[in-house]
Amino acid sequence: MHSHQSPPPSPIPKYLQANDLTQECRDIISSLPKEEGWVSNHLHLYHGCWITPRYMPGVLAFQKHFQARDTDIILATTPKAGTTWLKAILFSLLNRVSYPDLQKHPLLTSNPHVLVPFLEIDLYIENQVPDLTSFVSPRLFSTHLSYNSLPTSAKVSNCKIVYLCRNPKDTFVSLWHFTNKLRLKGTNSLEEAFDKFCRGVSLYGPYWDHVLSFWKESIENPQKVLFLKYEKMKEQPTYELRKVAEFLGCPFTPGEEAKGVVNDILRLCSFDNLSTLEVNKSGKLSSGEANEAFFRRGEVGDYTNYLTPEMAEKLDRITEEKFRETQLKF
Ligand code: PAP
């Protein structure tokens, strides 16, 4: 006999679930300003940063329990600034002695987000006080939180922060594509998403406040925060990688330079290499996002294919105004 039962509905991916929130979280969330979200229902403004309800427990636990060590390295980024790329680069850089054979490198079989987890999105969401003993020194973590929202210990310890941002037009276009991929149905109209982005309502936004928070710290405390731009990394990758290595206290030795280790790392972490690996074409993160969603075009200036000249001008104007007091230019 044939069964005419339809297959069970596919489960809602984890990144869209926020049903096991504690009462404390619910109380906090209900007291916060909210706006319609890009993927799930709402974004909430917590300490000047727009986050989803799902992230709230992780953010609270991270802020409350994380004890930074002086040797820690935290990669901080605005979403879609090139996080995946820099995760790969920092992982390869710091572990270059452990993995000299590039044919057996962990990046060939694991997505960078698995090798360098987010503190508030991965580690502290899974567990209020996660077991971090498997992280060998220097521990390498990442976060999307703004500098002001980091736990006190991350600010007062001597841990190092590598910050990466990207011009707001490409950041917006990348975020629009990414969030559309994560939605279960329908897409956000470009115009609506653009309006939200301009008003600061984007994941971990306002974008400009995020950039400014790390920029200020990098000026006041250049030993602590290294401020990088995606465009510069694309333009002068070897220069930027050497700079990162020096900042982290692990400069390339003359022997490594002679062997071409700098270019080996850049090739391994390049868009062309990572995006064509099987793991990144077909795998998924434990939170449910497809690995391939983190690799789209990986170019500078793709915004010209999506934004009208008026939209581009509007973003330029906002950026100029917000960064007026700074030397920051994109
Ligand atoms: P996240 O903040 O959500 O982790 P993130 O990795 O910052 O995402 O953003 C992905 C962007 O980086 C994509 O940009 P696009 O939409 O403009 O294409 C993605 O293509 C790009 N990207 C991913 N890997 C690399 C890489 N190895 N080199 C350069 N760009 C990359």
Side-chain angles (χ1 to χ4, degrees):
M1 233 172 71
H2 291 285
S3 154
H4 290 288
Q5 276 178 349
S6 47
S10 55
I12 295 179
K14 231 172 158 184
Y15 63 81
L16 285 174
Q17 298 172 16
N19 33 18
D20 51 357
L21 296 180
T22 61
Q23 194 54 44
E24 183 199 10
C25 272
R26 286 176 199 281
D27 290 346
I28 294 176
I29 289 169
S30 66
S31 70
L32 299 174
K34 73 175 178 184
E35 288 262 359
E36 192 195 342
W38 296 44
V39 179
S40 52
N41 287 346
H42 292 107
L43 285 171
H44 297 265
L45 187 63
Y46 178 66
H47 288 182
C49 217
W50 288 98
I51 57 170
T52 64
R54 175 176 147 72
Y55 290 174
M56 187 58 85
V59 170
L60 293 179
F62 172 44
Q63 289 178 331
K64 200 157 149 189
H65 299 297
F66 181 65
Q67 286 306 320
R69 294 187 191 155
D70 289 342
T71 48
D72 284 348
I73 296 165
I74 300 179
L75 161 58
T77 50
T78 45
K80 311 334 283 180
T83 318
T84 314
W85 186 20
L86 203 57
K87 280 186 176 187
I89 288 182
L90 291 189
F91 181 88
S92 324
L93 176 69
L94 295 169
N95 294 296
R96 62 196 197 260
V97 176
S98 310
Y99 304 114
D101 183 354
L102 295 185
Q103 304 308 316
K104 293 189 184 146
H105 199 279
L107 273 168
L108 301 182
T109 46
S110 300
N111 178 273
H113 289 286
V114 173
L115 300 174
V116 187
F118 283 108
L119 285 155
E120 79 283 7
I121 304 177
D122 298 316
L123 298 169
Y124 284 84
I125 271 192
E126 294 297 327
N127 202 321
Q128 289 279 294
V129 187
D131 178 7
L132 303 179
T133 49
S134 64
F135 287 80
V136 291
S137 180
R139 304 186 303 179
L140 174 59
F141 302 117
S142 80
T143 183
H144 274 324
L145 281 177
S146 70
Y147 186 79
N148 305 337
S149 301
L150 291 181
T152 310
S153 80
K155 295 182 193 164
V156 300
S157 74
N158 288 327
C159 78
K160 299 241 180 205
I161 299 174
V162 179
Y163 181 68
L164 176 68
C165 61
R166 184 180 191 183
N167 81 75
K169 291 172 284 191
D170 285 337
T171 300
F172 163 72
V173 167
S174 184
L175 187 62
W176 179 67
H177 282 287
F178 182 72
T179 49
N180 279 338
K181 272 191 195 157
L182 297 190
R183 288 170 68 98
L184 289 186
K185 49 181 189 241
T187 55
N188 280 316
S189 86
L190 184 77
E191 290 72 19
E192 267 177 50
F194 183 76
D195 173 65
K196 285 190 187 131
F197 190 85
C198 289
R199 291 190 292 113
V201 185
S202 59
L203 193 59
Y204 291 97
Y207 164 89
W208 299 273
D209 296 6
H210 200 284
V211 175
L212 278 175
S213 72
F214 284 97
W215 184 81
K216 279 189 189 137
E217 196 57 31
S218 75
I219 298 294
E220 282 164 25
N221 207 347
Q223 299 308 311
K224 179 159 191 79
V225 178
L226 179 68
F227 188 95
L228 301 173
K229 288 179 184 164
Y230 182 90
E231 294 74 23
K232 189 93 190 292
M233 296 255 308
K234 277 283 199 183
E235 203 186 343
Q236 295 186 300
T238 50
Y239 177 85
E240 293 295 289
L241 179 51
R242 288 192 186 106
K243 195 166 85 181
V244 173
E246 271 169 35
F247 173 75
L248 295 179
C250 57
F252 293 100
T253 62
E256 286 179 317
E257 288 283 358
K259 273 199 289 182
V261 174
V262 181
N263 278 322
D264 284 348
I265 291 178
L266 291 171
R267 246 192 318 271
L268 174 69
C269 301
S270 69
F271 182 88
D272 286 349
N273 186 46
L274 294 184
S275 65
T276 48
L277 295 172
E278 200 47 47
V279 61
N280 294 326
K281 286 197 293 189
S282 58
K284 268 188 185 179
L285 297 179
S286 62
S287 47
E289 289 103 333
N291 290 346
E292 59 94 21
F294 295 92
F295 303 93
R296 194 181 60 91
R297 288 202 62 188
E299 280 171 17
V300 175
D302 190 38
Y303 74 88
T304 51
N305 296 315
Y306 296 92
L307 303 186
T308 63
E310 292 73 30
M311 289 165 120
E313 265 168 42
K314 180 170 177 182
L315 264 187
D316 284 344
R317 259 201 322 277
I318 298 174
T319 305
E320 228 179 275
E321 175 149 321
K322 299 269 188 192
F323 294 166
R324 194 184 297 277
E325 311 287 310
T326 74
Q327 258 85 66
L328 267 174
K329 290 239 170 347
F330 284 98

